[in-house]
Amino acid sequence: MAMELQRIAHLLEASLDPRQNKQAELALRHEEQKPGYSVCLLQIVAADSFSNTVRLASALCFKNFLKRNWTDEEGNHKLPQNEVATIKQELVGLMISVPPNIQSQLGDAVGIIADSDFWERWDTLVDDLVSRLTTDNPTINIGVLQVAHSIFKRWRPLYRSDELFTEINHVLQRFGTPFLSLLEVRIKVNPKSLSATNVFDSKSTDKSIDQNKTNKPLLRQLINSLNLMMKLFYDLSCQDLPPAFEDNLPAITSLLQKYLTFDDPSLHSDSDDESGPLEFLKSAILEVLTLYVQKYEDAFGTHVEVFVASSWNLLTTTGQETKYDILVSKALQFLTSVTRIKQHAQAFNDEANMGQVVERVVLPNLALRDSDMELFEDEPIEFIRRDLEGSDNDTRRRAATDFLRGLMSQFEKLVTEVVYKYINHYLSEYSADMANKWRSKDTAVYLFSSIAATGSITASQGVKSTNPLVNVIEFFQNNIASDLVSENAVEPILQVDAIKYLYTFRTQMSREQWRDAFPLLVRHLASSNYVVYTYAAIAVERVLALVDDTRRPIVEKDSVAPLAKDLLEHLFKLIEKDNIADNNQAASKLQENEFLMRCVMRVLIVIKDGVIPLTNNVLQHFVGITEVICANPSNPRFCYYHFEAIGALIRFAAPAQPQAIENTLYPPFATILRDDVQDFMPYVIQLFAALLEANPSGPLPDYYKSLIPPILARDLWLSKGNVPALVRLLSSIIARGATDIVANNQVVPVLGIFQQLVLLKSTDMYAFELLECVLTYFPPSVLETYYVPIMQALLTRLEKSKTEAFSARFVRLYHFVSAKGDQGLGTDFFIKIIDQVQTGIYVPLYLNIILPGTRKLARPLDRKTAVISLTKTLADSFAFAETYKKGWTFTCNALLELLLNPPVPSTTDDLIADHDVDDMSFGVGFTQLTTIKRPAQDPWPNITNIKSWVTEYLTSANARENGKIVNYAKERLSPEESRSLAMYMQI
């Protein structure tokens, strides 16, 4: 065993070395197939004989192993039960004993297990945690609380459900009383909510803090423990107010107030930048207070006033250092939540009080600090990410702005009048000394933006509604426009303010106003200042994405196309600018500035086929950038927009020159596949497919033929993130190269992929997509021996693990097959195959799944396919004519029902939907490239008027069969049904 641990530890160490990591990771993947691998990883984590680096790598590897291997799609354990039991038995104790950086990885692992097993398959966990709490060891208590938090925090974003509340009650009954005891809350036991037998008799954290104020290391541990308790208090309260907490609310609020105002010099951070334990504790308390104001004001309302006073005092006495930013932001968020409640907000409803609020709380946190300017100059990309509206960063400026807007929602006129006095004051200061008072103007612009915007402000559209008491266009013209048009030197921060103002209020400007303003934004892309040209790129991109109510672009193609060549060239120049100051380092490096690449993408989307004359130059830039980022893909957002931009080029230029683009992009894309660059593979596979689809009639190029064997290899399909892209690429290859696949005996591997996909709920929809492609492009004679196994696989899923989505997709497949009678398929073909699987199964399948599922079809294309399928069944099916006579009646009724609301072709436009890139989990799953998103395929594009087609088809079939359909209608339909059908027949 010792040798085994040493070997795995050596591989873990090698996985951290860029020169060996690929081989090491492959070897580790091989090791994980062996029994007991996960336990070996835990043993390495537990062993002090290994370095902390190796132990941390082992914890990370263990967490990722559990993500892939803890349960299958049905929730069943994939590991042997003895291994599952060992992990559960050892993990909690191990997590308590390891250093904090390893503890966080194991905490994530506990969360993964809890997602599937807690609480019903791990019902001893809470009792185990409670039993480990100690009276005198805060280190152990921190570990216990960390484990509890890693499990209970899962509740925060969840929707209310009976299952969720059962789980929470299970926890509260066992953990609630010991938790409150640990806080030293004098507990009033409510027999309905807590078990009195679980009372934890210990020296409380609060008492321990009082007794150990001179012991700095122990005091820090106790404060960290209390911080975790505040997080747990939030977890336990996030869905509903626990009765025990409500019963003990006076004692709890007393404790919260004590530590919100607590101070001890020994806990102060020596750094101006790094927050200390007190800042984190008070921030956690303020988060709890904000939750209770927002959700439980009826129970908590009487306690609000004291916390408002404490928060006010905290805000007016806390320094401007960066280390206090999170604390100040949380305090402002708490006050913002208070202002949303009318009776609490009344304390601010006075001009003098409002002036105090603005002067003592808003302005100090809205004004630029020296630390902000240092960030502006030294870490400009971080400054931008924090500053952008809609970002999730807790900045003082954003929190102060939200507080002001919260007050605005209650006292719009009062706030506007008070704030405008300060705006005018700061503008006057700037006018008197422009060279030195530029920060005053920055404050004035920020203040105005804060009171001008109302309602929601989104990253996609900016401000959608404004304060009727101010005029945003007039303010821009009088105070801001000069900073954009001036030929003289303007302070960069004021240029950023001007650009950001246009960006923020972009939807408030008319098409005509943008005609004048847009060139000013483009002009600032030439700035030498990183923040200025990046903000210009952000604004240009967002303005180009704007559309009016008719979905017409605000800035149209004709306005951008003449600028496109120079605009793109300049953006690429900025992206490719060497960002390494070390003169001794000559390695290729890019400014992986996602905002610049997003702007490139947007320009290509707007100019559409206007990129064709620029294709060769743009391609060369894309190839060079791809080669650089492949070596070190460090910014997922930049990489995403890079491949989206390539997708836009393929979409608009490839149909005109497919060969040239394929030849240029193939080498770097093939390198990504060959080198197994996991982060980029789903992107590249999608782009390969889009290249093929751009030239649907051409023969399959040789380099795509060479891709078929690796695409059919099972290993490539094991990553679920690859599956959607692989299905699309394989389908595109089949569409152009079915003959080659048949000739090379590759049909069986293709069907093997289908069978692999159809087994899993996460991939079964892609199995249907692949199967429909196979049925469309492979000749029936080639597939003849495989139809029955295919149907067996589908029916097995329907019988053993049917889902609503699978049933609906099966119905769509049925109509797809049934409608293709002229291509060797059809209704009778389907019946023949299904009878070979099991005689007599077709009737219950048709009555219980296909017909009910047909009525639920929502997409126009699916309904259209169903209409064609049912029409051909009535007209052409021998089985329905002679064997399933009642089925003919049911089919006719289903068709008439669909025709009451006939499917109409969906109107399409060429606008490309935005992804919210911050919602994506890069490297975790599949990320769709929207620029090359495949539109829904209509197998019957020539049928444009479905009612007319039904009439023509049924009338023709009736004539061909000497009036059989009319006779069937008379025999099998009621008079009313017969008259309804006659409306669709020319007889």
Side-chain angles (χ1 to χ4, degrees):
M1 175 60 77
M3 292 294 293
E4 184 79 4
L5 295 183
Q6 286 289 348
R7 191 162 52 77
I8 295 174
H10 177 72
L11 291 174
L12 289 167
E13 192 167 25
S15 71
L16 304 174
D17 183 349
R19 297 166 299 178
Q20 308 177 62
N21 65 336
K22 289 287 184 187
Q23 295 104 321
E25 286 170 6
L26 287 173
L28 286 168
R29 282 298 187 100
H30 177 72
E31 289 292 326
E32 73 179 39
Q33 307 302 320
K34 299 177 181 178
Y37 173 71
S38 62
V39 177
C40 288
L41 291 176
L42 286 181
Q43 290 173 334
I44 293 171
V45 172
D48 292 335
S49 56
F50 296 110
S51 69
N52 279 341
T53 304
V54 169
R55 294 171 70 193
L56 177 60
S58 188
L60 181 61
C61 190
F62 175 76
K63 177 185 76 174
N64 292 332
F65 173 80
L66 290 192
K67 279 183 183 177
R68 298 189 301 271
N69 297 290
W70 186 252
T71 58
D72 60 22
E73 291 196 327
E74 304 294 334
N76 301 313
H77 292 132
K78 294 169 71 172
L79 300 176
Q81 281 305 307
N82 63 330
E83 196 167 338
V84 168
T86 301
I87 289 171
K88 289 180 179 179
Q89 183 179 337
E90 300 296 330
L91 186 54
V92 173
L94 180 58
M95 183 176 169
I96 290 169
S97 64
V98 295
N101 60 339
I102 299 176
Q103 198 174 70
S104 65
Q105 298 299 329
L106 295 183
D108 291 342
V110 170
I112 291 166
I113 297 173
D115 279 337
S116 65
D117 286 27
F118 189 74
W119 62 281
E120 290 178 325
R121 291 195 297 190
W122 203 1
D123 57 357
T124 60
L125 175 60
V126 180
D127 291 331
D128 184 18
L129 292 175
V130 170
S131 71
R132 293 175 186 270
L133 290 170
T134 73
T135 61
D136 56 2
N137 193 328
T139 302
I140 291 177
N141 286 349
I142 286 172
V144 172
L145 297 171
Q146 188 66 59
V147 173
H149 177 53
S150 68
I151 299 168
F152 305 158
K153 69 181 180 182
R154 297 160 39 252
W155 302 333
R156 295 190 181 194
L158 300 181
Y159 291 109
R160 297 167 70 94
S161 68
D162 291 342
E163 294 80 5
L164 175 60
F165 277 84
T166 300
E167 179 178 323
I168 293 173
N169 287 332
H170 167 84
V171 170
L172 288 172
Q173 287 170 1
R174 290 158 177 78
F175 191 78
T177 302
F179 173 73
L180 292 177
S181 296
L182 201 58
L183 279 170
E184 198 188 33
V185 172
R186 306 299 181 197
I187 303 168
K188 300 175 184 176
V189 177
N190 183 335
K192 294 182 179 179
S193 60
L194 296 171
S195 171
T197 60
N198 282 333
V199 174
F200 178 68
D201 185 14
S202 75
K203 183 167 67 175
S204 74
T205 303
D206 176 42
K207 186 180 296 182
S208 296
I209 290 171
D210 289 338
Q211 294 172 354
N212 290 281
K213 289 185 178 179
T214 59
N215 185 340
K216 183 177 178 180
L218 181 57
L219 183 61
R220 291 181 74 90
Q221 278 193 316
L222 291 166
I223 292 294
N224 288 335
S225 177
L226 191 57
N227 178 32
L228 268 173
M229 289 184 217
M230 291 302 103
K231 292 179 180 179
L232 278 164
F233 193 86
Y234 191 112
D235 297 337
L236 296 167
S237 306
C238 66
Q239 290 289 336
D240 203 357
L241 179 58
F245 290 9
E246 186 173 6
D247 293 341
N248 294 281
L249 208 50
I252 291 170
T253 54
S254 175
L255 192 72
L256 297 180
Q257 170 66 6
K258 173 180 177 178
Y259 286 100
L260 187 60
T261 57
F262 182 83
D263 192 25
D264 189 306
S266 68
L267 297 171
H268 291 178
S269 171
D270 295 330
S271 166
D272 285 345
D273 300 323
E274 299 295 327
S275 301
L278 266 184
E279 286 75 56
F280 287 123
L281 171 60
K282 292 182 181 183
S283 297
I285 291 171
L286 287 161
E287 281 194 73
V288 168
L289 297 177
T290 302
L291 173 73
Y292 270 62
V293 167
Q294 291 173 341
K295 294 195 70 169
Y296 313 121
E297 196 277 333
D298 54 339
F300 186 66
T302 57
H303 305 282
V304 167
E305 189 175 338
V306 67
F307 290 112
V308 169
S310 299
S311 300
W312 176 269
N313 184 63
L314 187 153
L315 287 167
T316 54
T317 58
T318 300
Q320 290 288 307
E321 292 87 352
T322 306
K323 65 181 177 182
Y324 298 124
D325 284 2
I326 185 172
L327 175 57
V328 170
S329 296
K330 297 300 181 186
L332 285 166
Q333 288 168 19
F334 167 65
L335 289 181
T336 302
S337 67
V338 171
T339 64
R340 305 289 184 189
I341 301 171
K342 201 167 189 66
Q343 65 266 32
H344 297 310
Q346 290 304 313
F348 303 105
N349 190 14
D350 174 86
E351 185 173 350
N353 287 345
M354 190 63 70
Q356 286 286 301
V357 168
V358 174
E359 190 155 324
R360 299 187 62 189
V361 172
V362 174
L363 288 175
N365 294 299
L366 206 65
L368 275 174
R369 300 168 297 171
D370 291 341
S371 59
D372 296 323
M373 292 310 301
E374 288 173 10
L375 195 69
F376 183 94
E377 293 164 2
D378 299 338
E379 296 184 63
I381 195 71
E382 184 61 25
F383 177 90
I384 293 163
R385 287 174 182 153
R386 291 186 186 184
D387 192 53
L388 276 175
E389 283 284 0
S391 79
D392 293 329
N393 289 297
D394 288 326
T395 64
R396 291 190 186 221
R397 277 195 148 188
R398 177 153 303 105
T401 298
D402 289 344
F403 179 43
L404 202 51
R405 287 173 180 162
L407 291 168
M408 280 273 299
S409 68
Q410 299 286 358
F411 318 113
E412 186 173 69
K413 186 173 185 294
L414 173 61
V415 172
T416 303
E417 290 173 351
V418 170
V419 169
Y420 230 104
K421 292 176 183 178
Y422 289 96
I423 292 171
N424 290 331
H425 165 74
Y426 284 114
L427 288 175
S428 298
E429 273 195 350
Y430 171 71
S431 298
D433 187 1
M434 292 185 180
N436 298 307
K437 293 292 185 178
W438 49 268
R439 290 198 190 193
S440 295
K441 183 172 183 180
D442 170 80
T443 301
V445 172
Y446 221 101
L447 270 175
F448 181 85
S449 298
S450 298
I451 63 166
T454 60
S456 60
I457 302 175
T458 65
S460 60
Q461 294 182 296
V463 173
K464 301 177 74 173
S465 59
T466 58
N467 181 348
L469 302 176
V470 302
N471 187 320
V472 295
I473 303 301
E474 183 181 273
F475 187 85
F476 174 77
Q477 292 169 339
N478 293 341
N479 301 291
I480 299 176
S482 58
D483 294 329
L484 285 178
V485 300
S486 176
E487 296 294 334
N488 301 320
V490 176
E491 189 66 33
I493 197 73
L494 296 183
Q495 292 178 321
V496 169
D497 287 343
I499 294 167
K500 186 183 176 187
Y501 189 93
L502 289 177
Y503 161 81
T504 302
F505 294 102
R506 57 191 178 273
T507 56
Q508 304 304 311
M509 296 174 62
S510 67
R511 188 182 303 277
E512 292 70 27
Q513 288 166 335
W514 270 120
R515 193 174 293 126
D516 296 330
F518 185 72
L520 298 177
L521 293 179
V522 174
R523 171 183 158 189
H524 281 78
L525 288 169
S527 170
S528 60
N529 184 278
Y530 186 102
V531 180
V532 173
Y533 70 65
T534 300
Y535 245 119
I538 292 167
V540 165
E541 189 277 328
R542 286 291 82 196
V543 173
L544 290 179
L546 273 183
V547 294
D548 61 20
D549 292 340
T550 65
R551 296 181 66 77
R552 177 186 167 198
I554 296 297
V555 180
E556 297 186 279
K557 174 184 175 182
D558 293 343
S559 301
V560 182
L563 311 172
K565 180 179 179 182
D566 294 337
L567 181 55
L568 288 168
E569 192 60 36
H570 185 69
L571 287 167
F572 281 124
K573 182 180 177 182
L574 292 174
I575 290 168
E576 294 163 355
K577 182 162 49 172
D578 186 6
N579 198 32
I580 299 177
D582 186 352
N583 294 327
N584 297 321
Q585 189 169 353
S588 295
K589 179 68 179 174
L590 296 171
Q591 284 198 76
E592 293 191 25
N593 182 328
E594 68 260 31
F595 304 108
L596 296 176
M597 186 54 80
R598 187 176 186 179
C599 192
V600 169
M601 175 200 75
R602 186 63 57 189
V603 171
L604 294 174
I605 289 172
V606 170
I607 64 173
K608 298 182 176 64
D609 56 2
V611 74
I612 291 174
L614 315 175
T615 299
N616 289 337
N617 188 42
V618 172
L619 268 176
Q620 293 310 312
H621 285 295
F622 281 148
V623 169
I625 292 168
T626 302
E627 290 171 348
V628 173
I629 62 177
C630 276
N632 181 26
S634 57
N635 183 346
R637 291 175 176 82
F638 176 87
C639 298
Y640 165 73
Y641 286 121
H642 170 65
F643 288 111
E644 281 282 23
I646 295 176
L649 179 68
I650 290 171
R651 175 171 177 163
F652 298 116
Q657 40 191 318
Q659 198 72 40
I661 295 179
E662 283 180 357
N663 291 341
T664 305
L665 290 177
Y666 184 83
F669 285 2
T671 300
I672 288 170
L673 295 182
R674 184 196 66 212
D675 294 347
D676 193 26
V677 184
Q678 289 288 331
D679 292 346
F680 294 168
M681 287 179 69
Y683 296 142
V684 166
I685 295 167
Q686 290 177 77
L687 293 168
F688 267 138
L691 282 168
L692 275 173
E693 293 157 6
N695 182 25
S697 59
L700 188 67
D702 288 340
Y703 40 73
Y704 281 103
K705 293 178 185 177
S706 69
L707 283 178
I708 296 175
I711 287 174
L712 295 178
R714 183 176 181 272
D715 288 350
L716 199 58
W717 296 80
L718 293 178
S719 171
K720 292 178 183 176
N722 288 342
V723 169
L726 284 170
V727 167
R728 181 176 178 182
L729 177 56
L730 184 53
S731 299
S732 301
I733 289 173
I734 292 171
R736 281 178 61 175
T739 304
D740 297 299
I741 292 173
V742 171
N744 292 319
N745 297 318
Q746 292 169 321
V747 173
V748 171
V750 171
L751 294 176
I753 296 296
F754 157 77
Q755 197 160 29
Q756 178 181 332
L757 298 179
V758 83
L759 292 174
L760 301 176
K761 292 177 183 177
S762 59
T763 57
D764 53 16
M765 297 299 104
Y766 301 107
F768 282 105
E769 185 179 330
L770 179 60
L771 180 57
E772 288 182 356
C773 177
V774 165
L775 294 174
T776 299
Y777 293 104
F778 288 142
S781 58
V782 171
L783 298 173
E784 190 170 355
T785 57
Y786 307 114
Y787 286 133
V788 171
I790 289 170
M791 188 61 68
Q792 283 175 326
L794 294 171
L795 293 178
T796 299
R797 266 299 309 271
L798 276 175
E799 179 185 1
K800 293 188 175 179
S801 54
K802 179 178 69 175
T803 64
E804 189 173 339
F806 189 90
S807 297
R809 195 62 182 84
F810 181 84
V811 171
R812 286 168 55 191
L813 174 72
Y814 170 83
H815 289 303
F816 177 85
V817 172
S818 176
K820 286 183 171 285
D822 54 341
Q823 299 176 36
L825 302 176
T827 305
D828 289 347
F829 163 83
F830 193 96
I831 295 171
K832 172 187 167 186
I833 298 302
I834 210 166
D835 277 348
Q836 291 180 50
V837 176
Q838 184 177 338
T839 304
I841 198 175
Y842 177 74
V843 172
L845 187 70
Y846 191 70
L847 294 178
N848 298 324
I849 293 180
I850 294 171
L851 282 181
T854 300
R855 295 185 178 93
K856 296 177 183 177
L857 293 174
R859 295 196 321 163
L861 276 177
D862 297 337
R863 290 167 60 81
K864 177 180 178 181
T865 301
V867 168
I868 296 170
S869 160
L870 297 175
T871 302
K872 290 186 175 182
T873 298
L874 294 179
D876 303 333
S877 170
F878 177 82
F880 274 77
E882 301 297 333
T883 307
Y884 306 125
K885 296 180 181 180
K886 287 186 178 179
W888 197 95
T889 304
F890 297 143
T891 302
C892 184
N893 287 332
L895 174 62
L896 293 173
E897 193 175 320
L898 284 175
L899 290 174
L900 287 174
N901 182 22
V904 294
S906 57
T907 56
T908 58
D909 55 42
D910 55 2
L911 293 178
I912 295 173
D914 275 340
H915 259 171
D916 184 347
V917 72
D918 289 320
D919 286 345
M920 300 177 189
S921 300
F922 296 105
V924 175
F926 172 69
T927 303
Q928 170 76 57
L929 294 176
T930 58
T931 51
I932 51 168
K933 186 176 181 180
R934 194 176 188 182
Q937 303 295 303
D938 185 354
W940 294 274
N942 296 327
I943 301 176
T944 54
N945 186 321
I946 194 68
K947 279 190 172 184
S948 298
W949 178 87
V950 170
T951 297
E952 292 170 10
Y953 199 91
L954 290 178
T955 302
S956 174
N958 186 63
R960 186 176 64 248
E961 297 293 335
N962 299 317
K964 276 189 178 180
I965 296 178
V966 171
N967 291 334
Y968 292 156
K970 291 177 180 177
E971 296 168 3
R972 303 174 184 181
L973 301 178
S974 68
E976 183 179 349
E977 292 166 345
S978 185
R979 286 193 296 272
S980 297
L981 181 62
M983 294 170 57
Y984 298 101
M985 296 180 63
Q986 296 174 356
I987 52 175

